[in-house]
Amino acid sequence: MIRLDKVSFSIETSAGAVQVLRDIDLQFPDGSITAIVGPNGSGKSTLARLISGLLCPSSGVVALVDEGTASPPGRRVCPGVDVGLVFQNPDNQLVATTVEDDIAFGLENLSLSHAEMVNRVDDALDMLGLREFRAYPPHRLSGGQKQKVAIAGVLAMKPAFLVLDEATSLLDPSNRQEVMRAVFDLNRELGIGVIVVTHLLDEVLGTSRMVVLAGGIVIASGEPRDVFAAEDSVRCGGLVPPLSARASRLMQLRWPDFPLCLDVDEFVEAACLLS
Amino acid sequence: MSFSQGFVLGQHYPGSSPVHRSSALVKLIATIIVMVTIFVAVNTSEYLPVALFLLSGIMVSRIPARFFLRGIKPILFLIVLTVAVQILFTPGDSIWRFGVVRVTSQGLVLAAFITCRLVLLTLASVLLTASTSPIELTDAISDLLKPFRYIGLPSAEIALVMSIAMRFVPTILEETERIIRAQVSRGARIGEGGLVARMRSFIPILVPLFVSSFRRADDLAIAMEARGFRVNQPRTRYHLRGFHAVDLVILVFSLVTLGAAVLLRVWR
Ligand SMILES: Nc1ncnc2c1ncn2[C@@H]1O[C@H](COP(=O)(O)OP(=O)(O)OP(=O)(O)O)[C@@H](O)[C@H]1O
Ligand SMILES: [Mg+2]
C-alpha cells in the first residue's frame, strides 16, 4: 500500500515559493483502482509524480507500507520498480527505436540478466497484444498503440502500481477505451494497483474510489457515487457530473426518493420502478 | 515523411543473412579496416581486393543491388563534378582536344581512381548501415569507444544519446512538416523572395520547433527517470550476442583485403 502522510509540496520560483500541494493524506491499497480528478493546475500531475517517487515532498512522507502493519516504518517508493508512471504524450515517453527495445529500456536499468529480460519483454508484449509490432519503430504506430507500448514498458518492470496521468487524453474514443480496458484487465489479472488521473467521466466511473483535488488540497474522496452526491465538492472540483446524475437530480425535484444514478442503465431501471 | 524518403545512406534493410546476423562490432571494425584500405590506396588496381570483398558482402547479404544504387545516387553529382575537374585540369599527354578543352590519359586514370574511391566508400557504408539495425550500431560504437572510458569518455551514455536522437528524427520531421503547414495556412511565405527573406521565413518554423523540442526533452527525462534510469548507473543490455564463426570470417577477410592491397602496392 502507498501511504501519503501530511504531504506538502512547494516549488521555488522567482516570485517566491509556490505551494502546489498542501497536507495530503491518502492511502492507495494494493490492487485498488483510484481516480484522481480536479481542474487544471490543481496539482494532479505533481501528486502523480510524488506517488511515483519522482519528486520528494517538501514535508510529510510518501512511503510503501505493508498492509497489515498499523504504523508505518515504510520504505521510499522507487520509480519504475514500485510504481510505473505513464503520462499524456506517448511520443515523449518512448526512448528506443523499436517497440521491443523500448520495453527493454527499463529492464536494462534494473541490470537484469539477458534471459530474464527476454522473458519479461515477451510477457509485456503479450499482455498488451503488441506481439506483432515488436520490431516496429514507434513512429509507425497509432497513438493508442504507442500508449500501449509506454504501458508495456512500465509493466515489464513489474511494479505494484500503475499511475496514468491523463494517459488517454490525446487518444480518440476507441483507442482510449482499448487502452483503459487493457489497464483494467491488468488490475484484474495481475492485481496491479491502478491510479488514473483523468478528466474523463467514464474513466472515473470505472474506478472504485475517486479523489477530488482543488487548489492543492483534497476536497473530497470516496466512492464516485458518494462524491457526486455531495454537490459542494462537485462544484469546487469543477466536475461535470454524468448526464444520468444530473437527470436524477431533476427527477428528485419531483420524486424526492429517486436514487442518484451514475449511468443510463441504472437510470432507466430506476425510472421503470417509478411507474 | 517527404524529407526522409529516398535517402538510403544510414537506412536499415532488415534481413536474416549471415551479414545481418554477424556482430555489429565486427562489421564496424571491418568497415573501418576497409575504409583505411580505400584511403591509403594510390592506384586503382589496389581497389580490386576491396571491390571483391564488398561485392561478396553484398551478395551474401541478399540486399537488392537497387538499394545500393539508390545509395550512390546522392553522390552522383559529386562524382560527375570531380571526374569533370580531373579530366579537364590534369596536365599530361593529351589524347583528345577540342579548342581549349584537353583530355589527358593521366586525367582519365585519375578520374577512374576517384570514382572508384567514392563508390567503394559509399558501398561500404551502405552495406554496414543496411545490414545493421541502428540500435546494434550504437551499441557497437559504444563498445568501440569503451577503452576511452578510462580517460573519462562516457561511452554508454554516448550510445544512448545517439539512439534517442535516432528515435526522434522521424518525430521531429513530422513536427516540422506540421508547423510548416500551420504557418503556411496562416499566410506565412516559406522559401520565397531573396536570401534574407527566405532565411527570415524560417524563424516562424524554428522557434516553435525549438520550444516543442525542449518540452519533449523535459518529458523524456521524466519518462526515463520513471523507468529507473540514473546517470552513471550500471546497465545491462537487451541485445546480446557472442562471437561466432561469421564474425571471424568477416574479420579475417577484411584483414586479407588490407593485406592484398598492400601487396599490390609493393609489387609494382
Ligand atoms: N516547474 C514548475 N514551476 C512553476 N510552477 C509549477 C511547476 N510545476 C507545477 N507548477 C504549478 O503547480 C500547479 C499544479 O501543477 P500540476 O501540473 O500538478 O497541475 P495539474 O492538476 O496536473 O494540471 P493539468 O490538469 O493542467 O494537468 C500549477 O499551478 C502549476 O502552475
Ligand atoms: Mg497534469
Side-chain angles (χ1 to χ4, degrees):
Chain A
M1 166 167 90
I2 300 178
R3 226 180 119 127
L4 284 76
D5 279 310
K6 293 251 168 302
V7 169
S8 297
F9 186 81
S10 46
I11 347 175
E12 297 298 327
T13 63
S14 49
V18 179
Q19 181 114 25
V20 179
L21 292 173
R22 191 150 28 97
D23 287 338
I24 308 275
D25 284 313
L26 283 174
Q27 292 172 2
F28 300 94
D30 292 339
S32 62
I33 305 186
T34 311
I36 297 176
V37 297
N40 288 132
S42 54
K44 302 183 298 294
S45 296
T46 310
L47 182 60
R49 286 181 199 177
L50 281 165
I51 295 171
S52 317
L54 293 171
L55 289 176
C56 282
S58 318
S59 67
V61 190
V62 180
L64 266 163
V65 293
D66 275 338
E67 221 128 288
T69 53
S71 62
R75 59 181 184 84
R76 264 198 63 181
V77 177
C78 186
V81 181
D82 299 317
V83 180
L85 173 69
V86 176
F87 46 88
Q88 200 170 31
N89 192 339
D91 262 334
N92 301 353
Q93 300 176 69
L94 305 184
V95 211
T97 42
T98 66
V99 168
E100 81 180 304
D101 290 330
D102 192 80
I103 296 174
F105 176 79
L107 303 177
E108 293 179 322
N109 294 332
L110 294 181
S111 295
L112 294 179
S113 74
H114 183 253
E116 175 72 13
M117 279 200 256
V118 171
N119 274 339
R120 290 211 194 177
V121 168
D122 285 349
D123 287 349
L125 284 169
D126 281 343
M127 275 187 271
L128 287 141
L130 292 167
R131 187 155 273 257
E132 54 184 308
F133 303 109
R134 89 182 288 155
Y136 273 51
H139 65 98
R140 284 189 44 209
L141 300 174
S142 74
Q145 288 165 342
K146 281 186 217 173
Q147 203 58 291
K148 280 192 190 170
V149 174
I151 294 174
V154 160
L155 211 66
M157 299 179 75
K158 299 194 173 161
F161 285 88
L162 194 59
V163 178
L164 305 175
D165 184 359
E166 297 187 43
T168 61
S169 60
L170 292 180
L171 307 181
D172 66 28
S174 75
N175 270 312
R176 185 182 299 154
Q177 266 179 4
E178 208 179 305
V179 169
M180 283 321 285
R181 199 174 310 130
V183 169
F184 289 138
D185 285 350
L186 290 170
N187 170 266
R188 232 190 353 266
E189 286 159 23
L190 305 179
I192 292 186
V194 175
I195 299 166
V196 271
V197 174
T198 182
H199 286 295
L200 300 163
L201 272 176
D202 8 333
E203 289 178 9
V204 175
L205 297 180
T207 65
S208 52
R209 187 169 66 123
M210 69 189 280
V211 172
V212 186
L213 217 57
I217 55 171
V218 175
I219 59 164
S221 77
E223 269 190 53
R225 186 177 305 277
D226 301 334
V227 172
F228 282 115
E231 284 190 57
D232 295 353
S233 56
V234 169
R235 207 167 328 106
C236 298
L239 303 176
V240 180
L243 193 59
S244 325
R246 278 181 281 162
S248 313
R249 289 234 182 282
L250 294 177
M251 296 296 273
Q252 281 166 0
L253 295 179
R254 274 266 205 94
W255 292 279
D257 47 358
F258 193 86
L260 181 73
C261 305
L262 292 187
D263 65 33
V264 181
D265 292 345
E266 259 180 70
F267 185 85
V268 170
E269 209 163 292
C272 289
L273 285 180
L274 280 178
S275 51
Chain B
M1 290 315 280
S2 52
F3 286 102
S4 44
Q5 234 134 55
F7 208 78
V8 165
L9 193 63
Q11 231 178 67
H12 182 41
Y13 190 96
S16 57
S17 73
V19 179
H20 285 89
R21 278 182 285 120
S22 64
S23 138
L25 181 60
V26 164
K27 277 186 276 184
L28 186 62
I29 292 173
T31 307
I32 292 171
I33 293 175
V34 162
M35 287 196 168
V36 167
T37 315
I38 294 172
F39 274 115
V40 298
V42 290
N43 285 304
T44 313
S45 65
E46 291 164 39
Y47 285 145
L48 195 65
V50 176
L52 281 177
F53 177 74
L54 289 177
L55 280 181
S56 42
I58 290 171
M59 304 260 267
V60 174
S61 76
R62 288 197 296 265
I63 297 168
R66 177 163 48 72
F67 192 82
F68 291 93
L69 292 181
R70 270 203 290 148
I72 294 175
K73 223 161 85 183
I75 62 154
L76 217 50
F77 174 73
L78 198 64
I79 292 178
V80 170
L81 189 75
T82 45
V83 163
V85 168
Q86 295 306 334
I87 288 183
L88 294 180
F89 299 110
T90 310
D93 321 321
S94 61
I95 47 175
W96 188 76
R97 72 187 313 156
F98 182 81
V100 287
V101 179
R102 203 164 68 92
V103 176
T104 64
S105 56
Q106 282 89 341
L108 283 180
V109 168
L110 212 53
F113 175 72
I114 288 178
T115 306
C116 284
R117 165 173 288 193
L118 289 174
V119 168
L120 289 176
L121 280 174
T122 314
L123 288 182
S125 36
V126 172
L127 182 59
L128 173 69
T129 55
S131 65
T132 318
S133 77
I135 202 91
E136 286 174 317
L137 202 54
T138 51
D139 279 352
I141 292 173
S142 134
D143 283 341
L144 202 62
L145 295 177
K146 223 176 221 165
F148 298 100
R149 212 175 32 193
Y150 299 104
I151 57 163
L153 195 77
S155 60
E157 278 80 4
I158 290 176
L160 188 63
V161 166
M162 283 192 295
S163 73
I164 291 176
M166 281 187 293
R167 143 80 184 88
F168 278 95
V169 165
T171 310
I172 302 228
L173 285 179
E174 260 168 43
E175 177 118 334
T176 313
E177 271 172 45
R178 195 162 51 231
I179 293 172
I180 291 178
R181 272 201 300 273
Q183 300 292 29
V184 167
S185 73
R186 287 182 195 141
R189 300 225 174 108
I190 286 154
E192 283 181 30
L195 189 63
V196 176
R198 237 184 282 177
M199 299 277 251
R200 285 232 324 238
S201 73
F202 281 107
I203 294 175
I205 298 169
L206 288 180
V207 171
L209 196 61
F210 270 105
V211 171
S212 87
S213 299
F214 276 115
R215 181 162 327 124
R216 261 183 219 294
D218 215 26
D219 273 5
L220 192 68
I222 295 167
M224 286 168 69
E225 246 182 79
R227 291 212 258 158
F229 180 78
R230 298 279 172 286
V231 180
N232 292 330
Q233 147 197 270
R235 304 179 75 224
T236 45
R237 266 193 201 166
Y238 178 59
H239 291 281
L240 200 68
R241 60 181 308 297
F243 197 78
H244 297 297
V246 207
D247 304 331
L248 194 67
V249 170
I250 291 180
L251 214 50
V252 167
F253 276 11
S254 62
L255 288 171
V256 166
T257 305
L258 178 62
V262 170
L263 279 184
L264 280 172
R265 164 94 57 92
V266 174
W267 270 345
R268 286 170 66 98

